């Protein structure tokens, strides 16, 4: 015997099909949410973040609480204070090449600190295994600046045009503070130049 579906039954089946939930689409991962992901491999390699060659065209911006890697396409990756030492070194190595020196010091005013020094005078400091500060020495490299252009060679006049600056003579020279950013000037005069910059926890010899 052949069973025929009545028209009303067909309508009911159609309504049930219409009410069934649509299949879920796969959730796309948000790569930008992971700040420790390396998005620029070193030049000449596919997956070797510790290679000695730096990635071309990657700028490093300085800030009072982080370092920012800025890619040629405008994308950025933030190396913030508090991230793990291995992640911070890995991210900077992808842009600058491997550190030229890594060591520990027990004689810092803030207590035992580790540091990793990269080319052009940029050093990262680590406390209890976390990125805690950075220091830029007196090499006149225009590569590292803040977002508003402050770097080695900036004049005191330009500093004061960018914000409030306190300058005083200390045991290490003509020291200045600009918010959470600190450094040294070659002279307290308006044309005195920035010779050193640092922020966060560092091991500045006083």
């Amino acid at each position: 015997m052949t069973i025929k579906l009545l028209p009303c039954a067909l309508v009911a089946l159609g309504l049930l099909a219409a009410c069934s939930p649509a299949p879920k689409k796969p959730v796309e991962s948000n790569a930008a949410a992971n700040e420790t992901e390396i998005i620029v491999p070193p030049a000449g390699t596919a997956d070797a973040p510790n290679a000695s060659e730096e990635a071309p065209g990657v700028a490093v911006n300085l800030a009072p609480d982080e370092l920012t890697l800025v890619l040629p396409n405008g994308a950025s990756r933030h190396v913030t204070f508090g991230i793990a030492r291995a992640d911070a070194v890995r991210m900077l190595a992808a842009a600058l090449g491997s550190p030229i020196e890594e060591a520990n010091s027990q004689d810092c005013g803030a207590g035992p600190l580790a540091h990793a020094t990269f080319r052009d005078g940029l050093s990262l400091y680590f406390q209890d295994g976390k990125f805690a500060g950075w220091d830029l020495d007196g090499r006149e490299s225009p590569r590292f600046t803040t977002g508003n252009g402050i770097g080695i060679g900036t004049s005191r006049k330009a500093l004061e045009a960018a914000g409030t600056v306190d300058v005083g003579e200390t045991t290490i020279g003509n020291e200045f503070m600009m918010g959470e950013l600190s450094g040294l000037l070659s002279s307290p005069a308006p044309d005195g130049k920035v010779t050193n910059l640092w922020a966060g926890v560092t091991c500045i010899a006083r």
Side-chain angles (χ1 to χ4, degrees), residues 74-127:
S76 62
R77 186 63 79 228
H78 300 280
V79 189
T80 55
F81 290 173
I83 71 171
R85 171 181 177 174
D87 290 330
V89 171
R90 187 164 54 100
M91 293 174 73
L92 265 296
L96 304 178
S98 298
I100 58 176
E101 179 184 80
E102 292 189 75
N104 299 312
S105 178
Q106 303 296 319
D107 301 324
C108 300
L113 296 178
H115 76 268
T117 298
F118 293 86
R119 291 166 180 79
D120 296 322
L122 181 65
S123 295
L124 277 60
Y125 285 88
F126 309 96
Q127 189 173 47

Side-chain angles (χ1 to χ4, degrees), residues 144-166:
F144 309 117
T145 65
T146 63
N148 57 358
I150 295 172
I152 302 300
T154 300
S155 69
R156 176 177 178 173
K157 182 177 181 180
L159 284 178
E160 292 175 335
T164 302
V165 181
D166 294 320

Side-chain angles (χ1 to χ4, degrees), residues 19-183:
C19 295
S20 300
K24 293 183 178 180
K25 295 181 179 179
V27 178
E28 296 182 359
S29 61
N30 183 6
N34 183 4
E35 294 294 355
T36 62
E37 178 189 4
I38 293 180
I39 56 178
V40 181
T45 70
D47 56 2
N50 292 322
S52 60
E53 294 298 326
E54 62 190 54
V58 179
V60 178
N61 281 356
L62 311 172
D65 57 354
E66 68 174 21
L67 298 171
T68 304
L69 307 182
V70 183
L71 281 64
N73 65 3
S76 62
R77 186 63 79 228
H78 300 280
V79 189
T80 55
F81 290 173
I83 71 171
R85 171 181 177 174
D87 290 330
V89 171
R90 187 164 54 100
M91 293 174 73
L92 265 296
L96 304 178
S98 298
I100 58 176
E101 179 184 80
E102 292 189 75
N104 299 312
S105 178
Q106 303 296 319
D107 301 324
C108 300
L113 296 178
H115 76 268
T117 298
F118 293 86
R119 291 166 180 79
D120 296 322
L122 181 65
S123 295
L124 277 60
Y125 285 88
F126 309 96
Q127 189 173 47
D128 299 325
K130 304 291 185 182
F131 178 35
W134 57 262
D135 171 57
L136 185 61
D137 71 16
R139 302 174 209 187
E140 291 203 16
S141 171
R143 178 164 191 174
F144 309 117
T145 65
T146 63
N148 57 358
I150 295 172
I152 302 300
T154 300
S155 69
R156 176 177 178 173
K157 182 177 181 180
L159 284 178
E160 292 175 335
T164 302
V165 181
D166 294 320
V167 181
E169 186 174 351
T170 70
T171 57
I172 58 174
N174 299 300
E175 191 170 355
F176 73 87
M177 291 186 65
M178 186 177 182
E180 299 300 315
L181 191 68
S182 300

